Amino acid sequence: MAPLPDGFSYAEWNATYNGLSFGIAAMGSATIFFWLQLPNVTKSYRTALTITGIVTLIATYHYIRIFNSWSEAFTVASKDGGDYHVKLTGAPFNDGYRYVDWLLTVPLLLIELILVMKLPQEETVSLSWKLGLASALMVALGYPGEIQEDLSVRWFWWCLSMIPFCYVVFTLAVGLAEATSKQPSPAAASLASAARYLTVLSWCTYPFVYMVKSVGLAGPAATMYEQVGYSIADVMAKAVFGVLIWAIASEKSAVEESGKLLPK
């Protein structure tokens, strides 16, 4: 956990403050929505939707911790009615909460997608283990580089973490294509495809945000871009992705219920 750079402008501090606040609001409201929708899907999909809510609940907790840590690291005051001045308090800003969050939520994100697709049990178990472990390894390999100031070390750990990252992305984009085509309705297949590609798109944001401090950008601006970038990516990968999981579960539940009502 590297010390925060000095010299934040009020705009840079405020952008990060609002980005973290946005994360809390998005994740918290998503959690309430997902769990309220549980009675509206069939039993087969309630586990996936429950996990979706757990993911956003974990994220809400960690965003509150990050937000509080950010607030405690600064004092913001207006002198003589002029512009606001931002000063470090000396308290550490603990961004490690993000990696604790990702270590828990990233494997769960993939598992909920696999569960809602309702694959054969053997394939479900196999994919859950493979993708869950690969995604956890990706996060674990990224953290040592995140806390380094040495650019060569950051690039080394970035390259290592990209190995499991590429495996997961390839599996989502290519490996699950056949399973997506076998969904019970065109709408379900379309939603499952959208969920896969949203995951790929949002995940591809993380390596680029990670590289912000690896391409020579430093100081308060780099910290602001990193925090805001990660916050937007998290909301896309968890809250928005969760809405797609709910939509898939809802569509497939409707298809299955209508099938049961058809005369035999």
Side-chain angles (χ1 to χ4, degrees):
M1 185 169 57
L4 284 169
D6 203 356
F8 276 87
S9 67
Y10 177 67
E12 291 167 336
W13 174 86
N14 197 42
T16 305
Y17 183 94
N18 289 331
L20 296 173
S21 180
F22 170 69
I24 295 171
M27 301 298 187
S29 57
T31 301
I32 296 170
F33 172 77
F34 297 144
W35 286 349
L36 286 176
Q37 290 299 313
L38 281 172
N40 298 328
V41 300
T42 60
K43 187 176 179 181
S44 302
Y45 305 107
R46 288 176 188 169
T47 299
L49 200 56
T50 299
I51 293 175
T52 305
I54 290 173
V55 165
T56 49
L57 178 64
I58 293 171
T60 302
Y61 167 76
H62 285 111
Y63 264 87
I64 291 171
R65 297 302 299 268
I66 297 169
F67 178 86
N68 289 341
S69 184
W70 180 261
S71 299
E72 292 165 2
F74 298 91
T75 57
V76 181
S78 174
K79 186 177 181 180
D80 300 326
D83 291 337
Y84 286 99
H85 294 277
V86 180
K87 293 184 179 179
L88 295 174
T89 63
F93 171 56
N94 188 357
D95 195 29
Y97 291 123
R98 284 198 186 278
Y99 278 82
V100 176
D101 176 85
W102 292 338
L103 194 61
L104 295 171
T105 59
V106 171
L108 289 175
L109 283 169
L110 298 172
I111 290 171
E112 71 189 55
L113 175 60
I114 294 166
L115 288 175
V116 83
M117 292 184 74
K118 206 175 182 181
L119 304 173
Q121 183 176 0
E122 185 177 344
E123 188 177 359
T124 296
V125 173
S126 176
L127 278 173
S128 295
W129 275 106
K130 289 177 182 177
L131 294 180
L133 290 174
S135 60
L137 180 62
M138 173 189 71
V139 174
L141 290 173
Y143 183 67
E146 186 72 70
I147 60 176
Q148 295 291 328
E149 293 296 321
D150 188 318
L151 294 185
S152 62
V153 177
R154 286 181 65 87
W155 278 112
F156 171 77
W157 288 106
W158 182 87
C159 291
L160 285 183
S161 66
M162 288 300 292
I163 297 172
F165 171 87
C166 290
Y167 167 74
V168 173
V169 168
F170 177 81
T171 302
L172 289 172
V174 179
L176 290 177
E178 184 179 352
T180 301
S181 66
K182 294 179 180 178
Q183 294 302 299
S185 72
S190 177
L191 288 166
S193 181
R196 286 166 48 224
Y197 288 114
L198 174 65
T199 304
V200 171
L201 178 64
S202 61
W203 277 34
C204 286
T205 307
Y206 290 96
F208 289 103
V209 176
Y210 186 99
M211 288 191 295
V212 163
K213 293 181 179 177
S214 302
V215 294
L217 187 62
T223 301
M224 178 197 68
Y225 288 131
E226 183 180 60
Q227 294 302 318
V228 173
Y230 280 147
S231 298
I232 293 172
D234 275 347
V235 170
M236 293 293 294
K238 295 171 186 173
V240 177
F241 175 78
V243 171
L244 285 176
I245 294 296
W246 161 76
I248 295 168
S250 181
E251 168 65 20
K252 294 178 73 172
S253 295
V255 170
E256 291 177 8
E257 288 295 327
S258 63
K260 291 177 182 178
L261 295 174
L262 291 175
K264 297 181 180 179

